[in-house]
Amino acid sequence: FSVRSFRKSILRKDIFSNKILLFAVIISFMMVVSSVYVPGIQNMLHTVSLTGAELFVIIFINVCEVLTLDHLKLYFFRKNKV
């Protein structure tokens, strides 16, 4: 979602306006979660459930990525505007 616009922050875009992208993200999320937490699929894919600490690390890294991309967009947009 954060690269839908190279000039606007993710907070300034309507992230729910692109229904196809939203549907793809939801389906992808459901597939990943089911591959990690559904016992039959876990056995087939040889995965194990994640701990709370591991989930925290994943969420933290994703938030840092979005913030970094937004800051880079601000930096390059202001730099090119001058």
Side-chain angles (χ1 to χ4, degrees), residues 61-75:
I61 289 172
N62 282 311
V63 168
C64 287
E65 176 188 5
V66 169
L67 293 175
T68 301
L69 285 171
D70 274 356
H71 280 89
L72 286 172
K73 286 191 277 188
L74 283 173
Y75 172 75

Side-chain angles (χ1 to χ4, degrees), residues 2-82:
S2 61
V3 292
R4 283 189 60 207
S5 170
F6 292 117
R7 297 184 184 269
K8 292 184 182 176
S9 169
I10 191 172
L11 301 174
R12 295 178 189 226
K13 291 288 289 178
D14 181 16
I15 63 173
F16 300 111
S17 63
N18 189 340
K19 302 295 183 199
I20 296 172
L21 177 63
L22 186 62
F23 180 72
V25 168
I26 290 170
I27 293 297
S28 299
F29 179 76
M30 288 172 36
M31 290 173 65
V32 169
V33 169
S34 65
S35 68
V36 174
Y37 291 106
V38 174
I41 300 174
Q42 273 184 325
N43 294 335
M44 185 173 48
L45 297 176
H46 304 289
T47 60
V48 295
S49 298
L50 298 173
T51 65
E54 292 166 335
L55 286 172
F56 175 77
V57 169
I58 291 169
I59 293 169
F60 178 76
I61 289 172
N62 282 311
V63 168
C64 287
E65 176 188 5
V66 169
L67 293 175
T68 301
L69 285 171
D70 274 356
H71 280 89
L72 286 172
K73 286 191 277 188
L74 283 173
Y75 172 75
F76 285 113
F77 180 65
R78 285 186 182 161
K79 183 178 179 181
N80 292 333
K81 198 173 186 177
V82 175

